[in-house]
Amino acid sequence: VSPVGAGSCLEALEKRKPLIVVTNEKLMNNHQLELAKQLHRDGHVLCCNCSTLVETLQSMDLSTLKPYTPGQPEKFALFLDKVVGFQ
């Protein structure tokens, strides 16, 4: 169970840990909600808020979660080098 900070989410997912993310509805513009919804739509996390956490824990099925495949920043860096003319 984790807040929806990008670093926290990615660290847990990269370690292949099942993850329930809890959004903070009091945040201005609630940017975390966007990340939580996308990770949930992609099947990587279960998502809830403080008021639905207990219900989520009681009804969760972690077997439905899909493994997260981390990006490859080195490929992007190589691409960017080519575009900018460093290679």
Side-chain angles (χ1 to χ4, degrees):
V1 177
S2 173
V4 194
S8 301
C9 290
L10 293 176
E11 185 175 340
L13 291 172
E14 287 173 355
K15 292 182 179 181
R16 304 237 185 250
K17 301 294 182 186
L19 184 60
I20 300 171
V21 293
V22 182
T23 60
N24 181 350
E25 297 170 331
K26 295 180 181 182
L27 287 177
M28 183 180 279
N29 298 325
N30 203 355
H31 63 281
Q32 291 184 345
L33 185 58
E34 192 175 325
L35 175 60
K37 283 184 177 183
Q38 187 62 53
L39 289 173
H40 180 72
R41 275 192 297 268
D42 292 343
H44 302 302
V45 303
L46 298 176
C47 181
C48 65
N49 57 43
C50 291
S51 62
T52 60
L53 177 58
V54 172
E55 178 185 334
T56 301
L57 289 169
Q58 291 172 336
S59 65
M60 69 183 180
D61 180 0
L62 299 178
S63 70
T64 63
L65 296 178
K66 298 175 184 174
Y68 173 78
T69 304
Q72 297 177 324
E74 60 281 349
K75 285 187 176 183
F76 178 71
L78 289 172
F79 167 77
L80 195 56
D81 285 349
K82 286 180 185 177
V83 170
V84 177
F86 292 135
Q87 277 189 330

